[in-house]
Amino acid sequence: MAVLATFRYEEDFLAGAERVKTAGIGRISLMSPVPLEAAQEVLGLEKSPVRRFSLAGAIIGAVAGFAMAVATALVFILPTGGRAIISVPPYLVIAYEMTILLGVLFTLVGFHIVSGLPAWRDRPYAPESNIDRFVVVVEGAAETDALRAETILREAGAEETRRVEDGQ
Amino acid sequence: MRSEVDMSNVLDKLREYSKPGYYDEFDYHWTMTIDLDRCTGCEACVVACQAENNLPIVGEERYAEAREIKWIRIERYWEGEFPDVKLNFIPMLCQHCDEAPCETACPVFATYHNQDGLNTQIYNRCIGTRTCAVYCPYEVRYFNWFTYTWDEPLEQQLNPDVSVREKGVMEKCTFCIQRIRMAKDNAKDDGRRRVRDGEVVPACVQSCPTEAMSFGDSNDPDSKVSQVMNSPRGYKVLEELNTVPSVIYLKKVHDDV
Amino acid sequence: MTMFDHGQPTYAEVNRDVLSSMLETGPRYWMLLGTTMTIAGVCFFMPWIYQLIVGVGAAGMNRNALWGTYLSNFIFWIGLSHSGTLLSAVLHITNSQWRKSIYRSAEAMTLFSLMTAALFVMVHVGRLWFVHWSFPIPNPMGLWPNFRSPLMFDVMAITTYLTASSIFIYMGSVPDFAAVRDVSTGIRRRLYTVFSFGWRGTAREWHTLGAAYMFFAVFVIPLAVSVHSIVSWDFALSIVPGLHHTIFAPYFVCGAIYSGTAGIVTVMYMLRKFMNFERYIGEKHLDYLGKLLLVLSMLWTYINILELFTTWYSGTSFEMEALDFRMFGFYAPLYWEMILFCAFVPLLMLFRKIRLSWNKMLVVSILINIGMLTERFIIVATSQPRKFLPDAFGFYFPSWIEFSITFGSFAIFTTLFLIFIKWVPAVSIYEVKETLKPLRRDA
């Protein structure tokens, strides 16, 4: 059972979210049409772990890029233009590009892992939250808790509350 | 190819591979000398090259478009004002630079430096970016703008030792690598370790009526080419570009100097 | 100061306006799309197929001039791609509000001009059917590419740029794909469900997206700078007089951002005019872009003067000869046209009146890009046909096939852009909303 409460105003939405959070009912998701730092604070989200993926990707990319260039040169010993087989300056350029390529790709993977997307399944959702409404979703609440959540949210100024199935 | 890395001396290997130029010494250092004092500009070398290396005859129209393929060409430089003019010839062919600008440019290793000090061109690998030719200061690389064909029965005179190139491929003077190859094979068959001086003669050198050109291994101090190249008249074209060419020209001596 | 010329829209109006631009398609759109596709087919692909059959000789290049318009157009399109993503990323990390309504289409411009540029590489090479040998993927030669080659840097840089800018624009659009999903039905709904990854706009999703997007932006900035530096090294790492300059990398990067920003002005004009985005793309944007263009034009002029100056000061005979041919040779009219269009015309933007007039800015921006197109042509056509040996001096003039393909490339770009505006909201819905004042009960 999930409770879905729609708010018109941002401050009501934040207050409602805060109160449900303090009451400790179920799992809370806060849906908004624009990113809200305040909403992230309510949930206690700190620095996103995505940055670890970015760092790892960049480092792996730099090493892999340089290693790929060196390994290719060592496997095929084909001297060109009087340059060394392992000539560092051009390989640094390759390493630079690979740093960025793998940095970006790892960040993308990190985004998917951290956000849990893609999630092509039915989850509690109110389409108006992508237009101009703010929505608090309380998932996994038992009947009494759901009632309590509804009361709290309505008191906070929710326009409407409704119940939907939990997401899988 | 020295591709196996011996694990026991990896560091030595790495040092070797990090060394500019890579080669300490070429097995052979094929070198050509061209005595400009003897060159009459007869273009026999051009024709010989054409026949030996299966160069296409592009025809008048393509020639007018500056798309001829001549691995060796005679450049003409006029000196002075008419009627008091002098004509100087410089046969220009791939200089087989030891530090060739063209080689670094190729993204697919279609051109590289082999252990004989030759700047090689591998037609099969070429994808036709034409960067090598742009980077070449001597403009001796020629591109196949079209696939050229030989009318019957002219295809009968094609040299079977040399491949025929298709459109989109870069080509250039190879110092008649097929003849070098054959000389090396013969030497091996005879149980000799090295090719003898004078055994390899590229088509242009062979055909020069005034014997202006000589060819050989400059690693061998007794070879003819080593002696000729040390002449005080010797110079390299565009030496200031530091391409280290393997073709040495001998200056023309004017009567009035 | 507000970004909006015609009053501030509400959240719902933003959704409605932007989505209707995407979902409501008139006959004019289809006619335009049909025209550009026809032009692309007839002027670009048909001559190209002809060229593939007979060989690159169909173009006007010859044994002295081995690079031609294909390469100069490649640089031009890469250059045009430089402003969108770079500007968007720089403005994103500096948290500029005026970026938000224009960045999506600017990034699309990046993506599509990059694709056009990549096409020109394909057109340029002699054996297209083997072009995959220049990628580090297994091939029948059993040979990997030469990572010491400047062209290989190019392959790596452009692949990375194409990947990074596609991801950048895609990830920025995910919440908007969700908005499209919410208003559509049937197959489109299912498609956009997939596109939007099932986005719900929860605080956690926004949080993660924000972090990831910031990293994309941070990665893209050094990438964009490196891409055009590397393109310039295709030239500068040769020893050809007139190309072998250390100034080339900053010159190309500056020129690229310059031409790209002018391109953004042109595209903004079209979007405003034909997509009814008057409300979201206002005078403010035009004013800022105009100032940016002005600064870039001066920087470009400075670097140009410096290039001439260092060449002249060196006094090398080869360099002087190249300089002389560039400024007073056959292509001198093109050279001076470039100076006029890229150094003098932009000075008009010193006047606020001109900066704030859409029509005048359109003219200025198009002139700048004509100038930049010729700049690239001059770089290619006046240097490498005339290198060191006077007897081998050549001359290059494009053939009709090259003119046709050049013209057709603009149609390809326009086609891609036209397809884009019907698939992706051309103005970022959620980010425009961010610039709006939040709804308050007392308001």
Side-chain angles (χ1 to χ4, degrees), chain C residues 17-94:
Chain C
D17 289 351
V18 176
L19 291 178
S20 72
S21 80
M22 208 184 116
L23 302 174
E24 290 163 19
T25 308
R28 199 165 60 167
Y29 172 82
W30 292 111
M31 268 161 58
L32 193 60
L33 185 65
T35 316
T36 56
M37 283 175 90
T38 315
I39 294 177
V42 172
C43 295
F44 191 97
F45 289 103
M46 278 165 63
W48 185 17
I49 290 167
Y50 171 72
Q51 181 183 296
L52 282 176
I53 293 167
V54 301
V56 194
M61 289 166 277
N62 53 49
R63 78 172 173 85
N64 309 101
L66 291 118
W67 282 349
T69 42
Y70 296 149
L71 213 67
S72 73
N73 288 341
F74 160 73
I75 315 168
F76 172 77
W77 283 108
I78 292 260
L80 206 56
S81 80
H82 257 67
S83 214
T85 300
L86 183 62
L87 205 65
S88 164
V90 171
L91 294 177
H92 180 71
I93 64 170
T94 54

Side-chain angles (χ1 to χ4, degrees), chain B residues 220-238:
Chain B
D220 173 9
D222 301 326
S223 68
K224 187 184 170 203
V225 83
S226 297
Q227 282 152 18
V228 179
M229 69 188 267
N230 289 327
S231 151
R233 291 191 290 135
Y235 75 101
K236 293 169 179 174
V237 175
L238 299 176

Side-chain angles (χ1 to χ4, degrees), chain C residues 195-212:
Chain C
F195 287 170
S196 63
F197 303 137
W199 177 268
R200 292 191 302 163
T202 61
R204 178 171 292 277
E205 285 170 357
W206 282 120
H207 182 62
T208 317
L209 181 67

Side-chain angles (χ1 to χ4, degrees), chain B residues 100-157:
Chain B
C102 56
E103 290 171 359
T104 47
C106 185
V108 289
F109 280 128
T111 177
Y112 79 102
H113 223 68
N114 76 0
Q115 65 282 2
D116 285 358
L118 292 180
N119 178 312
T120 57
Q121 177 70 26
I122 297 95
Y123 310 121
N124 289 351
R125 286 184 202 153
C126 182
I127 59 170
T129 68
R130 310 193 279 289
T131 318
C132 51
V134 170
Y135 281 26
C136 175
Y138 305 98
E139 308 196 41
V140 288
R141 290 178 154 268
Y142 296 87
F143 190 65
N144 283 277
W145 297 103
F146 304 96
T147 296
Y148 298 102
T149 50
W150 282 261
D151 297 335
E152 276 189 54
L154 287 175
E155 89 283 356
Q156 300 291 329
Q157 55 87 44

Side-chain angles (χ1 to χ4, degrees), chain B residues 7-251:
Chain B
M7 289 311 284
S8 60
N9 52 5
V10 171
L11 272 182
D12 284 350
K13 281 285 179 193
L14 278 182
R15 218 165 287 132
E16 183 191 343
Y17 292 136
S18 312
K19 193 176 63 214
Y22 177 62
Y23 296 111
D24 271 331
E25 197 178 346
F26 296 113
D27 297 350
Y28 294 89
H29 195 170
W30 298 114
T31 306
M32 183 180 281
T33 60
I34 302 177
D35 189 343
L36 298 179
D37 217 2
R38 288 187 181 192
C39 178
T40 60
C42 70
E43 305 220 4
C45 49
V46 179
V47 177
C49 181
Q50 189 99 25
E52 170 74 15
N53 291 303
N54 298 342
L55 301 193
I57 311 289
V58 298
E60 195 177 349
E61 194 189 330
R62 301 272 174 256
Y63 190 90
E65 293 166 355
R67 282 167 178 173
E68 76 275 21
I69 294 181
K70 288 199 248 174
W71 286 4
I72 180 167
R73 64 171 189 264
I74 308 284
E75 296 211 330
R76 291 189 292 180
Y77 290 103
W78 298 87
E79 232 179 75
E81 290 295 319
F82 183 82
D84 185 27
V85 289
K86 282 201 184 75
L87 178 55
N88 300 307
F89 299 111
I90 301 183
M92 187 52 65
L93 68 163
C94 176
Q95 308 283 310
H96 291 270
C97 313
D98 290 348
E99 297 189 6
C102 56
E103 290 171 359
T104 47
C106 185
V108 289
F109 280 128
T111 177
Y112 79 102
H113 223 68
N114 76 0
Q115 65 282 2
D116 285 358
L118 292 180
N119 178 312
T120 57
Q121 177 70 26
I122 297 95
Y123 310 121
N124 289 351
R125 286 184 202 153
C126 182
I127 59 170
T129 68
R130 310 193 279 289
T131 318
C132 51
V134 170
Y135 281 26
C136 175
Y138 305 98
E139 308 196 41
V140 288
R141 290 178 154 268
Y142 296 87
F143 190 65
N144 283 277
W145 297 103
F146 304 96
T147 296
Y148 298 102
T149 50
W150 282 261
D151 297 335
E152 276 189 54
L154 287 175
E155 89 283 356
Q156 300 291 329
Q157 55 87 44
L158 289 177
N159 185 350
D161 294 337
V162 179
S163 55
V164 174
R165 284 77 58 183
E166 73 157 341
K167 69 181 176 217
V169 169
M170 191 61 73
E171 60 181 66
K172 68 169 191 70
C173 163
T174 60
F175 269 177
C176 287
I177 196 165
Q178 67 279 11
R179 296 191 179 193
I180 295 175
R181 189 78 260 162
M182 200 178 291
K184 279 188 180 175
D185 287 351
N186 289 342
K188 208 168 130 206
D189 292 348
D190 296 353
R192 277 180 283 136
R193 225 166 52 77
R194 293 183 71 81
V195 172
R196 268 195 234 105
D197 187 37
E199 225 173 330
V200 183
V201 188
C204 52
V205 176
Q206 190 181 22
S207 66
C208 184
T210 56
E211 292 182 10
M213 306 163 107
S214 55
F215 184 83
D217 177 15
S218 65
N219 278 352
D220 173 9
D222 301 326
S223 68
K224 187 184 170 203
V225 83
S226 297
Q227 282 152 18
V228 179
M229 69 188 267
N230 289 327
S231 151
R233 291 191 290 135
Y235 75 101
K236 293 169 179 174
V237 175
L238 299 176
E239 201 173 357
E240 66 272 27
L241 297 177
N242 292 330
T243 54
V244 197
S246 297
V247 178
I248 289 129
Y249 291 86
L250 303 186
K251 262 191 207 95

Side-chain angles (χ1 to χ4, degrees), chain A residues 44-90:
Chain A
L45 295 176
E46 289 176 358
K47 276 190 172 168
S48 175
V50 169
R51 67 208 159 100
R52 302 221 169 82
F53 288 89
S54 307
L55 182 67
I59 293 172
I60 293 173
V63 175
F66 196 81
M68 175 175 73
V70 170
T72 307
L74 287 180
V75 172
F76 315 105
I77 306 250
L78 296 168
T80 56
R83 307 297 196 274
I85 297 297
I86 302 173
S87 12
V88 176

